Amino acid sequence: MRKLLLVAICLLVLFCGCEKEAESTLDSADDKLIVVGFSQVGAESEWRVANTESIKATLTEENGYVLFYEDARQEQENQIRAIRTFIQQEVDYILFSPKVETGWDSILLEAKKANIPVIVTDRYIESDVEGLFTAYIGSNFYSEGETAVLWLEDFLKKQSRTEEPVHIVHIQGTIGSTAQIGRTAALEQAVSKHPNWQLVAQQCGDFTRAKAYEVMGSILEDTKDIDVVYCENDGEALGAIAALEEAGLVCNPVDGVIVISFDATRLGLQYCLEQKIALNVECNPLQGPYVDEIIKKLERKEPIGRIRYVEETQFDCFTITQEMIDIRDY
Ligand code: GZL
């Protein structure tokens, strides 16, 4: 049956002209390969590219998989369509990183009805319906935000800036995504805790360099009295820094604007080394091995944890070195 199915799938891929990539050829397929359909948010950041590459580099034919990859280009509707196609293809597992937390009940109930296990990666889903997915692999985004605000608290205390107003610009990620929700909640909680912390602007940069540059530029037309810029990923930090420097502001925690970022991509860490980013909180995109471990356990009918957080750390501009950057995988 599975050989017949694979023939149908490969013929569908060959003729449907869609973006799915059959990561394997017909003649190499055999009954042991695990067929996985993967719907990715898009390619909006270096982080996302590294995340995609980790999944593709792990779910290979040599490792026992046929991988069908679909890039949703930032549209939830494209993810829903891709998941429905995977169901029709009767894949063994569905893997997806949900662009936003809500709006998945219907399609995931279709997957449940088809008895196809769903593994959620990176961002989480919010639903009142129980049992819509088998496992989640990703980050604790609130904890990432806490790491950032605790570092900022400590840094400002060392600078004796606990009384005077601290003007904070907040550039958020894609609204409604788990990464944005968690990182925003941590900052907003810290602002409510510190009477001298003032949120002077809060706008969406959509996790992209271009949007953050545009948003930071418009904020700078209103005020240049900025002490901290809290960016929810490296792409936004790079865009914001470009706008700040064009406006004549210095990005440096000692005598300029304190820029905080997330992801810790190699490019973001280079900015950290140059002290343009004061703190960079890692968000680990290398989730392929975690996915492989969970699927292989499920195949062996072994118990798995439903929620699996990936290991992460943080880097500050006072202790980071070029060697630390050079050994990074992304
Ligand atoms: C975080 C991920 C975010 C990254 C951004 O896990 O969802 O999306 O922080 C990416 O770089 O665009």
Side-chain angles (χ1 to χ4, degrees):
M1 171 56 188
R2 196 183 286 242
K3 204 178 285 293
L4 189 61
L5 169 64
L6 279 170
V7 170
I9 290 174
C10 292
L11 288 174
L12 182 67
V13 170
L14 287 173
F15 295 109
C16 76
C18 56
E19 297 203 15
K20 294 170 190 59
E21 298 166 36
E23 301 281 335
S24 168
T25 56
L26 176 60
D27 56 5
S28 66
D30 63 32
D31 284 345
K32 291 188 300 298
L33 292 181
I34 302 165
V35 184
V36 178
F38 173 35
S39 167
Q40 178 61 290
V41 174
E44 73 283 0
S45 65
E46 285 84 356
W47 186 97
R48 183 67 55 199
V49 170
N51 181 247
T52 299
E53 285 317 306
S54 175
I55 302 282
K56 283 185 171 181
T58 309
L59 304 192
T60 59
E61 182 182 328
E62 294 72 27
N63 200 14
Y65 295 94
V66 172
L67 178 68
F68 285 87
Y69 170 74
E70 177 67 33
D71 176 345
R73 295 181 302 285
Q74 308 296 320
E75 295 295 336
Q76 180 173 27
E77 261 322 296
N78 289 343
Q79 290 198 281
I80 291 170
R81 194 175 302 118
I83 292 171
R84 186 163 288 120
T85 303
F86 296 151
I87 293 168
Q88 289 158 358
Q89 291 170 338
E90 294 182 3
V91 298
D92 297 310
Y93 295 88
I94 289 169
L95 187 63
F96 84 118
S97 172
K99 178 185 176 188
V100 292
E101 290 203 337
T102 54
W104 305 101
D105 289 7
S106 173
I107 190 63
L108 294 184
L109 282 169
E110 287 179 37
K112 190 180 176 84
K113 196 170 159 207
N115 290 317
I116 300 176
V118 172
I119 298 173
V120 180
T121 59
D122 169 30
R123 301 175 184 177
Y124 201 62
I125 66 164
E126 193 54 52
S127 171
D128 296 332
V129 179
E130 291 292 315
L132 285 181
F133 63 89
T134 301
Y136 165 78
I137 301 155
S139 303
N140 183 328
F141 299 106
Y142 181 80
S143 169
E144 290 178 356
E146 259 188 331
T147 298
V149 295
L150 288 172
W151 180 90
L152 181 59
E153 232 170 54
D154 182 55
F155 181 70
L156 291 171
K157 201 179 290 178
K158 284 175 183 161
Q159 287 197 326
S160 307
R161 295 167 70 180
T162 54
E163 302 297 328
E164 72 191 69
V166 174
H167 301 117
I168 300 171
V169 167
H170 178 196
I171 300 183
Q172 296 177 285
T174 303
I175 301 299
S177 67
T178 317
Q180 175 271 314
I181 292 167
R183 293 167 186 167
T184 289
L187 175 63
E188 290 179 341
Q189 180 156 30
V191 167
S192 67
K193 186 180 143 194
H194 294 279
N196 64 318
W197 290 20
Q198 295 174 10
L199 208 48
V200 297
Q202 184 179 50
Q203 288 190 40
C204 176
D206 224 5
F207 288 133
T208 69
R209 193 167 178 169
K211 183 70 177 163
Y213 173 79
E214 176 195 320
V215 159
M216 190 70 244
S218 68
I219 292 167
L220 284 161
E221 284 167 16
D222 296 338
T223 176
K224 286 188 177 179
D225 186 6
I226 299 168
D227 301 298
V228 178
V229 179
Y230 181 99
C231 300
E232 293 189 353
N233 86 326
D234 281 339
E236 292 182 349
L238 271 58
I241 289 166
L244 287 159
E245 290 180 336
E246 278 176 19
L249 277 73
V250 169
C251 296
N252 179 302
V254 177
D255 52 14
V257 179
I258 302 166
V259 178
I260 287 173
S261 185
F262 296 83
D263 283 356
T265 59
R266 202 175 277 121
L267 187 53
L269 292 179
Q270 204 59 46
Y271 272 62
C272 206
L273 189 66
E274 295 162 15
Q275 298 204 340
K276 292 188 175 185
I277 290 176
L279 176 81
N280 206 325
V281 179
E282 182 182 36
C283 179
N284 184 351
L286 307 180
Q287 294 165 359
Y290 294 87
V291 172
D292 178 40
E293 180 191 340
I294 282 181
I295 290 178
K296 298 286 174 60
K297 280 186 174 177
L298 290 168
E299 287 290 294
R300 294 190 297 264
K301 307 273 185 277
E302 292 174 11
I304 61 161
R306 190 160 177 275
I307 305 289
R308 177 75 188 270
Y309 290 131
V310 295
E311 284 77 35
E312 298 174 337
T313 184
Q314 72 278 341
F315 301 86
D316 74 64
C317 65
F318 303 111
T319 55
I320 193 167
T321 64
Q322 188 62 54
E323 292 69 32
M324 290 160 76
I325 299 172
D326 294 346
I327 60 172
R328 302 273 302 162
D329 291 320
Y330 68 98

